[in-house]
Amino acid sequence: MRVPLVAANWKMHKTAWEARTYLKRLLDLVPPEPGVELAVFPSFPLLPEAARALRGSPVRLGAQNVHPEPAGAYTGEVSVLQLAELGVRYVLCGHSERRKLFFEDDRFVGGKVRAVSAAGLAPILCVGETLEERKTGRAWPVVEGQLALGLEGLGSPGGLVVAYEPVWAIGTGVAAHPADAREMAARIRAWLRDRFGEGSEGVRIQYGGSVKPENAGEFLRLPELDGALVGGASLDPDAFWAIAQTARR
Ligand code: PEP
């Protein structure tokens, strides 16, 4: 059985003080055995502080980005070893904001996935179509292409998470229809089985895009989905925990 993973992507929000206050509240809410895996993804400068606060707790630490190379002349970038040293467990690869605003393409994203996986951390490969691609019936071919290149050269899918995040649902307040998310998750699962065989059964598939406490249950109760990647609503620890609770099995 796959334990659902509910992830809080803080994006470029929160100061160190705000992060401390948030994590204190979250750890007051979350019991020692939450019945679901939780992870928070602060921006890089907050990671040491968050690692300290989360030590010994059931909440995992994630990073929002990484560079594919192990070291080198890449000003402004962060390596997987640097993340591993901080106790980071999950790393977002190819979030749609990185693809759109920072021009990351599928091959570059694939390099990140391989680097994260090779270091023994767990990549979360983000995939999803734009509204235009959905309207013109290209949602699946686009997602399939992102999977093919994003997972190219990956020997084993151990630890891998795939987040299906339709671009038009991210930060808009308009979530996908649960039936569409369900259909896409089933296609992703079938594709993973084809690509990795039995080893794919442990891969978790999340939905992301305007998940909030009011609609989380509609997604997280679906057997095809193993959790959620949450942006805006995760900035409040009570809302994040309310969302996570709907994933408990
Ligand atoms: C995200 O950033 O991955 C996301 C899903 O954001 P939001 O929940 O705000 O749509």
Side-chain angles (χ1 to χ4, degrees):
M1 201 182 78
R2 292 180 289 269
V3 178
L5 172 65
V6 183
N9 177 13
W10 290 359
K11 311 195 185 193
M12 201 174 68
H13 291 287
K14 297 197 187 296
T15 62
W17 180 81
E18 289 166 339
R20 260 197 308 278
T21 311
Y22 176 109
L23 293 173
K24 186 176 179 319
R25 173 67 184 157
L26 184 64
L27 294 181
D28 281 345
L29 293 168
V30 177
E33 287 180 28
V36 55
E37 198 175 352
L38 289 104
V40 293
F41 293 69
S43 33
F44 290 139
L46 304 176
L47 286 173
E49 180 77 40
R52 261 192 301 277
L54 295 178
R55 197 163 296 140
S57 87
V59 180
R60 307 246 189 248
L61 188 60
Q64 298 174 20
N65 192 21
V66 70
H67 194 276
E69 294 301 324
Y74 300 101
T75 302
E77 293 294 317
V78 168
S79 79
V80 73
L81 180 61
Q82 292 166 334
L83 296 178
E85 278 185 339
L86 290 171
V88 165
R89 166 90 188 118
Y90 294 101
V91 184
L92 297 183
C93 300
H95 188 280
S96 70
E97 286 155 13
R98 303 271 348 146
R99 293 175 187 266
K100 181 165 174 235
L101 303 173
F102 302 98
F103 314 108
E104 292 189 2
D105 65 20
D106 286 321
R107 285 191 193 282
F108 190 58
V109 171
K112 292 173 191 241
V113 170
R114 287 193 297 278
V116 171
S117 184
L121 276 58
I124 301 185
L125 172 63
C126 302
V127 298
E129 80 286 358
T130 63
L131 190 55
E132 205 232 315
E133 287 160 348
R134 174 155 285 273
K135 281 184 175 162
T136 52
R138 288 181 293 142
W140 172 243
V142 165
V143 168
E144 187 179 24
Q146 291 170 337
L147 289 170
L149 289 176
L151 300 177
E152 195 173 53
L154 188 71
S156 143
L160 174 69
V161 179
V162 176
Y164 169 56
E165 298 208 296
V167 177
W168 45 273
I170 297 178
T172 59
V174 183
H177 197 287
D180 290 336
R182 180 176 201 169
E183 189 199 331
M184 188 59 87
R187 285 186 149 192
I188 293 171
R189 174 69 58 204
W191 188 94
L192 290 169
R193 263 193 211 117
D194 230 41
R195 165 77 169 77
F196 295 108
E198 264 182 30
S200 67
E201 290 308 318
V203 177
R204 287 173 287 183
I205 301 175
Q206 298 175 307
Y207 166 76
S210 297
V211 172
K212 33 191 181 255
E214 302 77 52
N215 66 10
E218 295 171 37
F219 295 98
L220 296 176
R221 276 194 291 273
L222 296 172
E224 289 81 0
L225 289 171
D226 313 300
L229 179 52
V230 190
S234 78
L235 294 174
D236 176 78
D238 289 79
F240 179 51
W241 174 234
I243 290 168
Q245 279 176 289
T246 70
R248 286 161 116 176
R249 291 189 174 149

